[in-house]
Amino acid sequence: MNQVIKELYDMEAQAGKIMENAGLSKQKLQEQKKRQMEDINIGIAAELEGRMSILRAQLEEQAKEDIRQLVEQNRQQIDLLDAEYRDNLTTYAQEIVRKITEI
């Protein structure tokens, strides 16, 4: 009977050690998983920053191109208005003088 009780105590001690080792293994696995997640998050953040830099550069290029086109369109409109003014200066001046003298 004493032998059975001793074996039961030994089994209980072994079970306790197994549970303790399982707890330690679980803790180590959780720490490892946490480090892996942190590494993944750092990698994702770096990749997103790289992509955002590329998109930012593309947007800046597009904005520069849009501004260039607007400047060119405005320049063309100014040139057209200037040409019209030069071509019709005499006519405009005569019309202004006529309206002034009518009053």
Side-chain angles (χ1 to χ4, degrees), residues 2-61:
N2 285 341
Q3 182 65 23
V4 171
I5 294 173
K6 184 178 185 234
E7 286 181 20
L8 286 174
Y9 280 126
D10 288 343
M11 289 172 68
E12 186 178 345
Q14 285 178 347
K17 287 180 182 177
I18 289 172
M19 291 301 291
E20 186 178 322
N21 286 339
L24 291 173
S25 294
K26 180 181 175 184
Q27 184 178 0
K28 286 179 184 178
L29 287 173
Q30 286 174 336
E31 290 171 2
Q32 181 181 10
K33 192 62 138 179
K34 183 180 175 182
R35 283 191 303 271
Q36 287 175 343
M37 290 301 291
E38 289 171 353
D39 290 345
I40 288 170
N41 286 338
I42 289 169
I44 289 172
E47 183 178 340
L48 287 176
E49 183 60 35
R51 288 182 181 186
M52 287 183 65
S53 293
I54 291 169
L55 288 174
R56 193 175 301 117
Q58 288 173 345
L59 286 173
E60 287 174 2
E61 255 330 289

Side-chain angles (χ1 to χ4, degrees), residues 23 37 46 50 55-56 65 76 91 95 100:
M37 290 301 291
L55 288 174
R56 193 175 301 117
E65 179 61 23
Q76 288 174 359
T91 306
E95 183 66 25
I100 290 175

Side-chain angles (χ1 to χ4, degrees), residues 81-92:
L81 290 171
D82 191 42
E84 181 181 339
Y85 177 75
R86 274 184 273 122
D87 293 345
N88 298 311
L89 177 61
T90 305
T91 306
Y92 293 153

Side-chain angles (χ1 to χ4, degrees), residues 95-103:
E95 183 66 25
I96 291 171
V97 169
R98 186 183 63 78
K99 286 192 178 192
I100 290 175
T101 56
E102 284 179 0
I103 296 175

